[in-house]
Amino acid sequence: MSTTPDAAPKKDHGRAGRDLKAAVASAVVLLSAIAASLLFWKPAFMVIVAIAVVVAVWELRKGLAAKDIDLPEQPLMVGGVVMVVVAYLYGSAALVTATAVSALVIMLWLLRRGVDGYVKNATASVFALVYVPFLGSFVALMLAEGGRDGGGLDDKGVQGILTFILVTIASDIGGYIAGVLFGKHPMAPVISPKKSWEGFAGSAIATVGAGVALVVWLLDGDWWIGVALGLIAVVMATLGDLCESVIKRDLGIKDMSQVIPGHGGLMDRLDSLLATIAPIWLLLHYGVF
């Protein structure tokens, strides 16, 4: 008779699908760091964004390795950080140029490995470059709306970042609550079994409400822009979440990593944020700022 103890059963977190206590604790720590940087000296927030880009690239490389795709993480990380900094200092035109140069450098870097697998790795690398650093650089464009120094709630860039983050969080919370309480009709059962149409409705109500409140009271804008903001956020956040779910299912993994307790990988939290930032920046840039 074997004396080896049985493996501990995996803890069931119910319909929530996550360790809620750990998730809340992690969220509080991350949001506190973000709030402190935005309120006291907003360039510090760019350091957080740059670190997030580096970690996200590392996670993507680790995940794609399951399909024998080998991302060149050094040029991706360096290029990604340069893109964020350039976007913050010099604007959207400089970001486009930095993205193009980074893509070319990555393709040249891969030549060192030879012919075998070049197209596969180069294609995946450009995908990763656009998915993480390019979309993430719109955060820098948003923050730069109020100038490149300072901070605090009177700064337009800080107001834009807070609006973007809070409306995306509202989508997550609204969808989570409605999905847990009322979710019966799966939205995409093959891709994400826990995502329901009831949850989507909860997200829509939460994002539109948050969008109107934030645009009117924080940004001093028109209420209809808040409605548009909420609708954009709920659609793009849902698409971002579904796209990342497809990526993980194709790779055969549950989470990109375990760097954030209760949440999994950083990309598991950035999926909605990366999808919403570009259209939200465009709307606020031309409709409010």
Side-chain angles (χ1 to χ4, degrees):
M1 182 175 178
S2 174
T3 59
T4 304
D6 294 336
K10 188 176 180 180
K11 188 174 181 179
D12 182 12
H13 297 298
R15 298 179 70 181
R18 68 178 75 167
D19 185 342
L20 194 55
K21 290 183 179 180
V24 170
S26 299
V28 169
V29 172
L30 291 173
L31 291 175
S32 297
I34 290 171
S37 63
L38 291 174
L39 293 176
F40 295 105
W41 193 56
K42 69 178 188 177
F45 182 63
M46 287 296 93
V47 177
I48 296 176
V49 174
I51 293 173
V53 166
V54 170
V55 174
V57 167
W58 170 78
E59 285 186 345
L60 274 179
R61 183 180 185 276
K62 182 172 176 285
L64 290 172
K67 292 291 186 179
D68 295 323
I69 298 173
D70 187 10
L71 295 183
E73 63 180 357
Q74 294 91 346
L76 268 171
M77 289 177 177
V78 173
V81 171
V82 169
M83 287 161 61
V84 169
V85 173
V86 162
Y88 186 64
L89 295 178
Y90 303 112
S92 57
L95 169 60
V96 172
T97 302
T99 304
V101 171
S102 296
L104 290 171
V105 169
I106 288 168
M107 288 189 284
L108 289 172
W109 184 283
L110 287 171
L111 288 176
R112 303 163 60 206
R113 299 180 181 176
V115 175
D116 188 36
Y118 179 83
V119 172
K120 176 178 66 175
N121 291 326
T123 303
S125 297
V126 174
F127 161 75
L129 187 74
V130 173
Y131 187 30
V132 179
F134 180 71
L135 292 180
S137 293
F138 281 85
V139 175
L141 293 178
M142 180 78 84
L143 190 63
E145 290 287 349
R148 298 179 181 89
D149 204 355
L153 291 178
D154 293 332
D155 185 278
K156 291 185 180 298
V158 172
Q159 292 172 353
I161 292 294
L162 290 176
T163 299
F164 148 67
I165 292 176
L166 291 175
V167 78
T168 307
I169 290 176
S171 175
D172 193 24
I173 293 176
Y176 170 77
I177 293 174
V180 169
L181 295 179
F182 310 110
K184 293 182 179 179
H185 301 88
M187 176 180 288
V190 176
I191 299 173
S192 183
K194 292 183 180 295
K195 189 169 291 295
S196 65
W197 284 108
E198 291 82 1
F200 180 78
S203 292
I205 294 170
T207 52
V208 170
V212 171
L214 289 165
V215 168
V216 171
W217 294 334
L218 182 61
L219 304 182
D220 197 25
D222 297 324
W223 66 268
W224 62 268
I225 294 179
V227 173
L229 177 69
L231 294 176
I232 288 172
V234 69
V235 172
M236 297 308 297
T238 302
L239 288 176
D241 185 56
L242 289 174
C243 286
E244 209 230 356
S245 294
V246 169
I247 291 172
K248 290 190 293 186
R249 283 189 173 274
D250 186 29
L251 297 177
I253 57 178
K254 183 179 184 298
D255 294 313
M256 283 295 186
S257 73
Q258 295 296 327
V259 296
I260 307 177
H263 291 274
L266 183 63
M267 282 299 299
D268 299 307
R269 294 299 92 201
L270 292 182
D271 51 6
S272 298
L273 293 167
L274 288 173
T276 57
I277 180 56
I280 288 179
W281 169 78
L282 190 67
L283 176 66
L284 296 184
H285 180 72
Y286 289 103
V288 176
F289 299 136

